Amino acid sequence: MVKNATTSYPAQIDRIFFSLAGLVVLSVMLRAQTPQEIELSTAQPQLEIRQSNVVSATVVVRNASREKRRYTATLLAPAQWRSLTAEKPFELNPQESDIRLLSIVLPQTTQAGSYQIRYRVEDNARPPHRAELVFEVVIAPVLRLEFQLIEAPRFVVGGKAYTATFALTNRGNTTVGVVLSGHNSHSFRFKIDSTQFPLQPQATRTVVAVVQTPKELVGKATNTMELTAHVLNDSTVMQRASATVDVIPQVEKVQNLYHELPLYARVRSTGDRTGIRQQVEVFGSGSLTESRRDNLEFLFRSPGTQTASVLGIRDEYRLQYRSPNIEVQVGDWNYSLSQLTELSRYAAGASTRFRLKNFQVGGFFNQNRYAGPKQQEIAGFLRYQFSGEHQIGVNYLKKSEAMESNIATLHGIVRPWKESEVEAEYGMSKAGSGKGQAYALRAYGRATWFSYDLRYVDADPMYTGYYRDLNLKSLSLNLFPWQHLRLEGYVRDEKRNVERDTLHFYAPRDQYQQVGIGYSSYISLSYRSSRQEDLFPISKYRRQQHTTQLHLGYGLSGASVYLDVDMGTTQDLLVGKRFPYRRYALFTSLNPSGSQTYTLSVEHAEENNLYSDEKQKRYSVGLTSWVMLGGSTQLQLNAFGTRLFSTVNQSYGFLDVTLDHQFPFGHRIVVKGRQNYSRPLFDARDRAYAVEYSVPIGVPLHRIASLGQLRGRIVDDRGVGVGNVLLNAGTFVAVTDADGNYLFPSLPPGTYFVVVDPSSIGLDRVTLRPMPVEVTVRGAAEERLDIGVVKSGRVAGAVHLFDFADEGITDTTQTRLIDSGGRQGMIVELTNGVEVQRRVTDTQGRFLFADLRPGRWTLRVAGGDMPAQHYVERESLELDVQPGSEQQVTLRILPRRRTLRIIQEGTVVQETKPGPQSRPSPRMMPESSLPCLISFDREKKGFVLQVSSWETEQKARQAARMVEQASGYSATIERVDTPQLGIRYRVFLGVFKSSQEAEAICQKLQRRSMR
């Protein structure tokens, strides 16, 4: 029995093995017969959004199997798209369904177009089953530009060119072609480094405008250079920026007898292959009065031609008049009130502003011209300016949009110190039954070693002003600890949907930090970090970006080169995705002469596509050149091309040529040609041209009243004229030409004080005549003032204190002196009879008089900390100062020979000598009493009278009682341990308000002592 049972074990094991294998095969066959284990469905296969919006969709996941399964979901989106939904594993029973919410936030740099996102679900079966759902995302284009001035000089000499630098930023989500145009208030010739170029989303490009000022100017001209940037094929997307520079005249000609208003007429033809359109433009800017304190500016252009050609310009009508107390403007302008009401709105309307002493009142009315339904705004304000630059005011704005709203704000500006400002504003609004409020604060300023800009905005959802449903905080701080070295920092925190309203799909928060260090323009290193997230409890997106940028630059005479290297990563914190970003940009500029400029820019960028895992590459090349052909013709060439290598390769580029000629009689002709290309798309209308002809017209307003002129020449000691010297006659300014000639052509009759700018005549130079020089100008007459310039002289020296070699209190006939060193705090005076200069000696007794006019000067010690019983050896010293000479002088302070050395803290004010020699009465003074000495006691803050010399204590007390009885004043006894006599005492009387009062008591005591 046992044997049989033992031998049957292998057979039983085989049966069990084959049974289990059959079950496995059956299970596999049953699974293979299941048509679909996971089912995915959605009602939103296509999504349409705008810039900075969130992609949201719902997906239904169904377990179509017969078992309970655990699922893992993965969301695949393009690079830099961040999921707001944290996908965690979930379980479904057989035939059970679950609704999954998908939310993805798009970065602002995402360009308009069509994209795909995929939602993939996988179960835990072996092998696993997978299902995938594809969404198409269509991003609508958003077009917005930002334009601002970066740098411009304060003034420039007439006949020379000045440069104004601007920054243009694409705040939209589409790479756009930008068209630049410009004009200045005096129609000076100018050039823009590039009049058309592409601009990627959130990218910034530097724009440089060079304005050539004329040599012939009548008085100082305040020139405003304004640039206008608009999007190619959509001129309604437009921004303006301007720079104001004072142009100082050189030698000028006599102005016309009539006061004229500069006026220009321009005819322009634009077209492409489809046809030609004409346009007429009349514009001008100038003063209506001779004082030139007002300004009239106008522009009338019609009809609009932007639909006929890429070089076309829209129609525009505007007029503005400004004076110190009034400003009126009508037509197409940017209308602004305050940051909580209306910050900037381009529309057609009218505005006015009045100033009455410290009050300002004004308002505007406008209505949009181009986009959407008609929207109107009515605004008004009242402001009061006090304590210099401080002001407070109220603003009111009525907006007629989908719903009419009324907004009122309280606005104040305080300037705590120079180049600083604190601006605060509180606003309330009402629209229908809804009421809202908002707060805004900005503080900015700069000093020698730092600058800062702090901003805060808090607007609730019901507020209908410029800011709405926003909480914004930002701080920019720049430090300059040493010359050329700078430290930079910037922090920004922005929240929207601040009350977490669930009617909105998300509550975004954007955080940005940047720190950097740089040395001049040679090298800088910066680190940027940004974080975007949804603040709802179930966040729909959370992403983070880190970028490090290295900037290198070097400039030579006529050439410069700059290199930017960007390296960073972008991370999706919800799905754990991470990808790199690389960018390299090179910019070079070459100026072989003042009439030629060439620039070359090259850029290469690499990034990974998160969806396709492919690497995208972009190459861009730009070339600009500007050449002056002769003195009145300029040729400008701009070329740009970019190529994107991805699944679908794309190319874009343009070529822009401009020829500008200025005729001797003031007429001007400009010819432009442009060719754009785009692959795989191409529009033949992108080939365009434009021809414009301008004619200056001076409109005489009235005859000029009598004016005077002042001319002259500035020459050096050899009779050679000194050029580029700046002169001021009151508020009028002039500059000498190469031969030293200057002219003030239009001075109202009166007295002027002419001043030469010392820094403009050169180092170690001085005018022969002391400045300022008084000149009387008569009407309809010419005055002349010639000024000589020579090398200046210098007088340096020191004041030394001398003492006897052996001090004592008894009579002495010794004459040996010792030098105790320089005497600090002495006032040294130098005068030539007209000018007086003074210096105070330093810790070593030294003084220096620089920039002295040649001639006879007198040097003396005029005061200061003169020690007691000392005198200046020489009362005055005559010096002959020659051009370019330097003299060394030593002044000696010597001790007086005396019979008594007074040891007293405080300065001896007066010493009164007794009358005829006689012994004082024993009843009034001791026999050893000395003449009275008056001194100022700093501790008692008054004058005291010393009535005894050094005595024993008994004699001092006796003397104190006697003088108290005789004078009626209190006496004090001072104890001093002297090296020669040991312990001694002396008597002081009073504290007196003046030295005259003390002297009277002294004389009284002396008279009584003689009786």
Side-chain angles (χ1 to χ4, degrees):
M1 294 295 294
V2 174
K3 184 176 179 180
N4 293 337
T6 303
T7 56
S8 64
Y9 287 160
Q12 295 177 0
I13 293 174
D14 291 340
R15 285 196 298 271
I16 294 173
F17 173 78
F18 285 115
S19 298
L20 293 175
L23 291 175
V24 172
V25 172
L26 179 61
S27 175
V28 172
M29 293 176 61
L30 290 175
R31 177 172 297 179
Q33 294 175 358
T34 302
Q36 188 171 1
E37 297 286 339
I38 307 173
E39 295 182 359
L40 302 179
S41 62
T42 182
Q44 304 165 279
Q46 182 171 347
L47 306 171
E48 294 186 2
I49 62 172
R50 291 179 64 83
Q51 181 185 23
S52 303
N53 281 358
V54 173
V55 179
S56 300
T58 56
V59 177
V60 178
V61 182
R62 179 174 176 271
N63 182 2
S65 70
R66 301 177 181 178
E67 302 175 356
K68 182 177 181 179
R69 297 287 172 83
R70 183 177 179 85
Y71 297 92
T72 301
T74 304
L75 185 64
L76 300 178
Q80 299 184 1
W81 292 26
R82 294 295 179 228
S83 175
L84 303 179
T85 306
E87 290 291 347
K88 298 181 180 180
F90 59 95
E91 294 183 348
L92 293 178
N93 295 319
Q95 308 304 315
E96 183 181 5
S97 299
D98 186 19
I99 298 178
R100 312 296 293 178
L101 178 63
L102 309 182
S103 297
I104 303 177
V105 65
L106 280 64
Q108 291 185 348
T109 55
T110 304
Q111 298 196 21
S114 180
Y115 299 84
Q116 283 189 348
I117 58 176
R118 297 177 181 270
Y119 187 72
R120 182 180 298 167
V121 178
E122 181 179 297
D123 62 15
N124 60 346
R126 294 292 182 269
H129 302 91
R130 296 177 181 173
E132 190 174 87
L133 194 62
V134 179
F135 295 87
E136 182 180 6
V137 181
V138 178
I139 302 176
V142 175
L143 304 178
R144 185 160 66 92
L145 299 176
E146 182 179 288
F147 209 6
Q148 59 182 340
L149 173 68
I150 299 300
E151 185 179 14
R154 183 176 63 87
F155 67 89
V156 65
V157 177
K160 296 190 177 182
Y162 72 85
T163 300
T165 305
F166 303 84
L168 180 63
T169 304
N170 180 6
R171 295 301 184 190
N173 64 354
T174 304
T175 298
V176 297
V178 178
V179 178
L180 285 177
S181 60
H183 75 278
N184 59 83
S185 55
H186 293 78
S187 298
F188 296 159
R189 289 189 303 160
F190 67 91
K191 67 170 183 175
I192 307 173
D193 60 347
S194 181
T195 56
Q196 183 176 343
F197 50 84
L199 198 59
Q200 296 181 355
Q202 307 306 313
T204 299
R205 182 185 179 108
T206 300
V207 178
V208 178
V210 180
V211 181
Q212 179 65 49
T213 63
K215 293 183 178 180
E216 297 81 11
L217 286 176
V218 180
K220 183 179 71 173
T222 300
N223 184 57
T224 300
M225 179 66 208
E226 183 180 78
L227 296 185
T228 301
H230 67 83
V231 173
L232 190 65
N233 298 327
D234 190 352
S235 60
T236 62
V237 183
M238 178 269 296
Q239 284 293 324
R240 287 191 176 99
S242 61
T244 301
V245 177
D246 289 336
V247 184
I248 301 172
Q250 290 189 4
V251 177
E252 302 170 282
K253 297 180 180 179
V254 180
Q255 66 180 36
N256 296 329
L257 296 177
Y258 289 89
H259 181 72
E260 295 183 349
L261 177 67
L263 180 67
Y264 298 86
R266 178 180 294 162
V267 179
R268 181 184 295 108
S269 294
T270 57
D272 52 24
R273 296 178 180 178
T274 62
I276 303 175
R277 295 286 181 89
Q278 278 72 39
Q279 190 177 61
V280 178
E281 181 177 323
V282 179
F283 62 96
S285 176
S287 176
L288 300 180
T289 62
E290 297 176 25
S291 62
R292 302 183 184 275
R293 300 184 63 191
D294 64 339
N295 185 75
L296 176 68
E297 179 181 348
F298 57 91
L299 168 65
F300 305 105
R301 182 195 300 134
S302 182
T305 59
Q306 69 272 30
T307 59
S309 169
V310 295
L311 294 178
I313 305 175
R314 68 163 179 266
D315 60 319
E316 195 168 12
Y317 316 91
R318 66 172 182 263
L319 182 145
Q320 181 187 67
Y321 176 77
R322 290 179 297 175
S323 69
N325 296 320
I326 186 173
E327 178 178 331
V328 178
Q329 60 183 26
V330 180
D332 303 327
W333 295 93
N334 280 320
Y335 293 87
S336 301
L337 188 60
S338 69
Q339 58 180 333
L340 291 185
T341 52
E342 180 57 74
L343 194 57
S344 179
R345 183 173 189 251
Y346 182 77
S351 70
T352 183
R353 180 191 305 262
F354 298 94
R355 181 189 297 272
L356 181 61
K357 293 184 179 180
N358 293 340
F359 286 94
Q360 290 188 47
V361 61
F364 63 76
F365 166 82
N366 64 56
Q367 180 175 286
N368 60 315
R369 284 192 58 188
Y370 299 103
K374 297 300 181 182
Q375 300 175 356
Q376 295 182 348
E377 288 186 345
I378 301 176
F381 69 87
L382 175 63
R383 296 169 188 164
Y384 175 75
Q385 187 169 346
F386 58 95
S387 299
E389 298 295 331
H390 311 316
Q391 70 176 25
I392 189 171
V394 292
N395 305 304
Y396 170 76
L397 177 67
K398 180 179 180 181
K399 302 172 65 173
S400 299
E401 300 175 324
M403 179 182 296
E404 185 176 284
S405 62
N406 294 275
I407 307 166
T409 68
L410 178 64
H411 182 226
I413 297 178
V414 178
R415 293 180 173 87
W417 60 83
K418 186 178 180 181
E419 296 190 12
S420 70
E421 183 174 290
V422 178
E423 179 180 4
E425 187 174 12
Y426 168 71
M428 298 182 296
S429 69
K430 183 178 180 180
S433 59
K435 296 182 179 180
Q437 61 181 355
Y439 308 87
L441 174 68
R442 183 186 182 190
Y444 62 90
R446 61 179 302 153
T448 304
W449 60 275
F450 76 95
S451 65
Y452 65 91
D453 190 340
L454 172 66
R455 301 192 182 194
Y456 173 77
V457 177
D458 188 2
D460 62 37
M462 301 301 295
Y463 188 73
T464 58
Y466 185 83
Y467 293 108
R468 182 181 307 179
D469 201 5
L470 171 71
N471 181 270
L472 170 66
K473 297 181 285 291
S474 70
L475 173 63
S476 175
L477 180 63
N478 298 303
L479 303 178
F480 313 99
W482 296 284
Q483 186 179 13
H484 303 307
L485 181 67
R486 65 183 182 277
L487 304 176
E488 304 169 345
Y490 177 74
V491 179
R492 178 185 176 94
D493 189 349
E494 179 178 345
K495 298 178 183 178
R496 296 188 179 271
N497 192 8
V498 293
E499 295 185 357
R500 313 291 191 271
D501 187 353
T502 55
L503 295 179
H504 298 284
F505 197 76
Y506 61 98
R509 180 182 186 183
D510 293 343
Q511 295 174 292
Y512 182 87
Q513 302 89 30
Q514 177 175 336
V515 294
I517 183 173
Y519 181 80
S520 185
S521 61
Y522 299 134
I523 185 171
S524 65
L525 181 65
S526 61
Y527 170 78
R528 300 188 295 269
S529 174
S530 63
R531 181 185 178 95
Q532 297 83 32
E533 61 179 326
D534 180 19
L535 296 181
F536 277 135
I538 301 179
S539 180
K540 303 178 183 62
Y541 68 94
R542 187 179 297 118
R543 66 176 182 270
Q544 189 168 282
Q545 296 176 332
H546 301 278
T547 303
T548 301
Q549 182 184 75
L550 175 65
H551 172 82
L552 301 174
Y554 190 75
L556 298 171
S557 177
S560 60
V561 58
Y562 299 95
L563 174 66
D564 288 339
V565 178
D566 292 357
M567 294 187 176
T569 59
T570 304
Q571 185 176 4
D572 190 330
L573 301 178
L574 295 182
V575 300
K577 290 287 185 176
R578 183 187 185 99
F579 56 88
Y581 171 75
R582 301 289 186 269
R583 174 180 171 270
Y584 311 91
L586 175 68
F587 174 83
T588 60
S589 176
L590 179 64
N591 304 93
S593 66
S595 61
Q596 299 180 59
T597 300
Y598 306 95
T599 63
L600 173 66
S601 61
V602 180
E603 182 178 351
H604 169 64
E606 296 181 3
E607 59 183 348
N608 290 339
N609 189 305
L610 184 62
Y611 163 68
S612 62
D613 290 333
E614 68 171 345
K615 180 177 289 187
Q616 294 180 335
K617 296 183 179 180
R618 184 182 71 254
Y619 296 92
S620 301
V621 178
L623 174 65
T624 67
S625 63
W626 174 85
V627 180
M628 284 293 298
L629 306 175
S632 56
T633 305
Q634 51 182 319
L635 175 66
Q636 184 169 318
L637 171 68
N638 298 320
F640 179 81
T642 182
R643 176 79 169 174
L644 176 66
F645 295 91
S646 60
T647 304
V648 177
N649 296 336
Q650 301 179 35
S651 299
Y652 172 78
F654 71 86
L655 176 64
D656 193 348
V657 180
T658 302
L659 183 65
D660 187 341
H661 178 72
Q662 183 86 27
F663 294 100
F665 41 87
H667 292 205
R668 180 182 178 188
I669 185 171
V670 179
V671 180
K672 299 180 181 179
R674 181 172 297 164
Q675 174 68 65
N676 293 345
Y677 74 89
S678 178
R679 297 290 187 273
L681 300 177
F682 179 79
D683 186 0
R685 296 184 62 187
D686 283 349
R687 180 179 299 172
Y689 62 87
V691 180
E692 61 182 41
Y693 192 87
S694 303
V695 179
I697 305 174
V699 179
L701 300 178
H702 54 81
R703 188 178 179 89
I704 298 176
S706 297
L707 294 175
Q709 292 184 341
L710 174 64
R711 71 168 62 245
R713 188 168 182 245
I714 297 181
V715 296
D716 59 17
D717 51 356
R718 299 171 300 170
V720 179
V722 182
N724 292 325
V725 177
L726 187 66
L727 298 95
N728 291 272
T731 58
F732 298 89
V733 183
V735 177
T736 61
D737 62 9
D739 198 32
N741 296 301
Y742 71 90
L743 172 64
F744 291 95
S746 306
L747 296 179
T751 300
Y752 294 87
F753 293 91
V754 179
V755 179
V756 174
D757 183 11
S759 61
S760 63
I761 62 177
L763 297 176
D764 300 328
R765 281 186 171 187
V766 66
T767 58
L768 283 174
R769 304 179 63 173
M771 294 288 115
V773 179
E774 183 177 350
V775 178
T776 300
V777 176
R778 297 168 297 171
E782 181 179 282
E783 308 296 335
R784 184 171 186 85
L785 174 64
D786 294 329
I787 302 174
V789 175
V790 296
K791 283 187 171 296
S792 60
R794 293 161 55 98
V795 173
V799 178
H800 280 246
L801 176 66
F802 288 81
D803 284 307
F804 291 119
D806 185 17
E807 292 288 345
I809 63 170
T810 60
D811 291 336
T812 180
T813 59
Q814 64 174 338
T815 58
R816 190 168 66 90
L817 302 175
I818 59 172
D819 190 346
S820 300
R823 183 66 176 177
Q824 181 182 3
M826 300 304 297
I827 301 175
V828 183
E829 178 184 279
L830 188 64
T831 179
N832 62 357
V834 178
E835 300 175 88
V836 177
Q837 299 188 31
R838 291 184 175 182
R839 302 288 186 269
V840 178
T841 57
D842 62 11
T843 55
Q844 299 182 26
R846 296 172 301 187
F847 61 87
L848 172 64
F849 293 92
D851 297 328
L852 297 177
R853 305 179 207 284
R856 196 72 174 174
W857 293 79
T858 302
L859 181 70
R860 73 184 186 94
V861 175
D865 189 13
M866 177 71 73
Q869 299 300 322
H870 283 70
Y871 67 98
V872 181
E873 180 182 22
R874 300 182 63 175
E875 182 177 350
S876 63
L877 183 63
E878 298 295 327
L879 301 175
D880 187 12
V881 177
Q882 298 294 328
S885 66
E886 180 172 347
Q887 302 184 42
Q888 296 289 334
V889 179
T890 301
L891 300 177
R892 304 202 311 170
I893 298 179
L894 304 180
R896 294 184 184 275
R897 300 182 61 185
R898 61 194 185 278
T899 59
L900 177 66
R901 184 185 181 197
I902 303 299
I903 303 177
Q904 166 66 30
E905 184 177 358
T907 302
V908 174
V909 177
Q910 184 173 357
E911 179 179 351
T912 303
K913 301 292 184 179
Q917 296 294 328
S918 63
R919 284 191 174 274
S921 172
R923 292 182 296 107
M924 297 300 301
M925 292 186 180
E927 184 178 357
S928 59
S929 62
L930 294 176
C932 302
L933 294 177
I934 302 172
S935 61
F936 183 81
D937 194 310
R938 297 175 182 172
E939 296 182 358
K940 297 180 180 181
K941 298 181 180 180
F943 293 88
V944 294
L945 185 63
Q946 181 181 336
V947 296
S948 77
S949 58
W950 303 110
E951 304 285 358
T952 62
E953 183 177 6
Q954 181 179 359
K955 290 183 179 181
R957 292 186 182 277
Q958 181 182 2
R961 288 193 299 270
M962 291 180 180
V963 295
E964 283 182 344
Q965 294 174 1
S967 65
Y969 286 85
S970 298
T972 57
I973 300 175
E974 181 184 27
R975 180 181 183 273
V976 178
D977 186 359
T978 63
Q980 294 86 356
L981 304 178
I983 302 299
R984 286 294 185 269
Y985 303 84
R986 57 182 176 180
V987 180
F988 290 92
L989 188 64
V991 174
F992 302 97
K993 295 182 180 179
S994 65
S995 61
Q996 291 80 5
E997 182 180 358
E999 182 180 359
I1001 296 300
C1002 179
Q1003 293 176 355
K1004 178 180 177 182
L1005 294 177
Q1006 291 174 349
R1007 288 194 299 270
R1008 297 194 61 173
S1009 66
M1010 295 172 60
R1011 291 199 290 265

